Amino acid sequence: MPRTNRLPDLVNRALKDGKVSRKETAAILANVEKDKTISAKERTSLDKFAKLPASEFEGDRFDSRDLRARAIDANALASAGFENRTTVPGVTVAFPDTIHTDKLYSGGSVYFRNVDIHAADKTARAAGTIDFTYGKFKVHVPVTKGMDMELALTRVAKQISNQQWGSVGDVLSIDGTRRRSMRVALTGDGTQKPVKPSDLDPTPIRPWSETVKTPLPIATAFVKKFGWGDDDQFE
């Protein structure tokens, strides 16, 4: 029977001898990740590797995430929890089912789902909260009537970064806070355990310039000449 590059055939060959080689891993991942999304059928194929012990995978010094790790991530993302409790008019929060994949550094890839947040209005029409949970992360930002929604989404981004950036790989991007839209990537690591309320930072955002108590002489000279820049609403 001729050898093919169909995913079922690649999977069956890799499982046949009880040891998944680096070459087999590379062939299967190339097939699964070629369109940068993981379909339900592809996730079912990967799931066969999630159930194997780690000892059955040949290590790769260039890519420590084997088929087993990626399969576990895909399953975790597919079942990741999401609850939207937002009450601010015109603010939408969505967690599409699509699992994406992207390359990191020279060899490895990461699987993730996007959380999309959008504010339709420039200022809040009514008071409420931007309040939602995705994976193990929770966001709760109070919004007052007339509040600039760019500022509100900046506070959302601050809460997300306080939680996700504490763990390598949890977040791929926080985009577009100044355009009243943002997209946050949740990886498999972000589905593992809940976050305590104490992990949230309720303190208001202040310009970076206000957080510097005693600037160094060089920094002072730089500021006098060039100013703080356009992004001083971020810390």
Side-chain angles (χ1 to χ4, degrees):
M1 183 175 179
R3 294 171 68 89
T4 72
N5 288 324
R6 292 177 60 250
L7 182 59
D9 296 330
L10 294 172
V11 170
N12 289 337
R13 286 203 297 269
L15 294 172
K16 188 174 182 179
D17 60 2
K19 187 73 174 180
V20 183
S21 68
R22 292 195 297 266
K23 185 176 180 180
E24 289 168 334
T25 291
I28 292 169
L29 291 180
N31 187 294
V32 167
E33 298 171 359
K34 60 182 181 293
D35 61 353
K36 296 189 176 182
T37 61
I38 308 299
S39 69
K41 287 185 177 180
E42 290 168 338
R43 185 165 57 81
T44 298
S45 294
L46 289 176
D47 187 51
K48 296 177 181 180
F49 298 100
K51 299 171 182 176
L52 297 178
S55 59
E56 293 196 15
F57 296 84
E58 184 180 6
D60 188 337
R61 64 191 180 92
F62 295 108
D63 184 2
S64 62
R65 300 186 61 76
D66 55 28
L67 278 175
R68 180 175 178 271
R70 290 182 174 89
I72 290 171
D73 280 351
N75 284 339
L77 287 167
S79 59
F82 174 69
E83 184 178 356
N84 182 22
R85 302 169 295 273
T86 297
T87 60
V88 180
V91 175
T92 58
V93 184
F95 190 46
D97 292 334
T98 304
I99 298 175
H100 302 271
T101 180
D102 199 4
K103 293 291 184 184
L104 289 180
Y105 310 114
S106 59
S109 58
V110 64
Y111 295 173
F112 60 96
R113 283 174 66 184
N114 287 322
V115 182
D116 294 314
I117 307 134
H118 177 70
D121 304 307
K122 187 173 182 179
T123 58
R125 293 178 306 206
T129 57
I130 301 175
D131 188 347
F132 59 95
T133 303
Y134 63 105
K136 68 180 182 181
F137 303 117
K138 177 180 173 64
V139 171
H140 180 87
V141 174
V143 176
T144 57
K145 183 177 180 179
M147 184 176 182
D148 188 321
M149 291 309 299
E150 291 182 3
L151 175 60
L153 286 195
T154 298
R155 291 179 176 174
V156 169
K158 180 180 174 70
Q159 283 195 7
I160 289 171
S161 65
N162 284 344
Q163 297 172 74
Q164 292 196 230
W165 288 353
S167 177
V168 174
D170 274 345
V171 63
L172 294 180
S173 62
I174 296 181
D175 298 329
T177 55
R178 289 190 168 187
R179 296 186 297 273
R180 303 197 306 279
S181 293
M182 58 189 296
R183 170 167 287 170
V184 180
L186 176 74
T187 70
D189 292 341
T191 65
Q192 293 173 358
K193 61 183 179 180
V195 171
K196 303 186 299 295
S198 59
D199 290 335
L200 299 178
D201 183 358
T203 57
I205 293 179
R206 295 186 297 150
W208 179 54
S209 56
E210 294 179 10
T211 68
V212 180
K213 300 297 187 293
T214 53
L216 296 174
I218 294 177
T220 302
F222 180 90
V223 170
K224 286 181 178 179
K225 183 174 181 179
F226 298 105
W228 291 104
D230 295 331
D231 290 328
D232 62 359
Q233 70 171 337
F234 297 96
E235 292 185 328

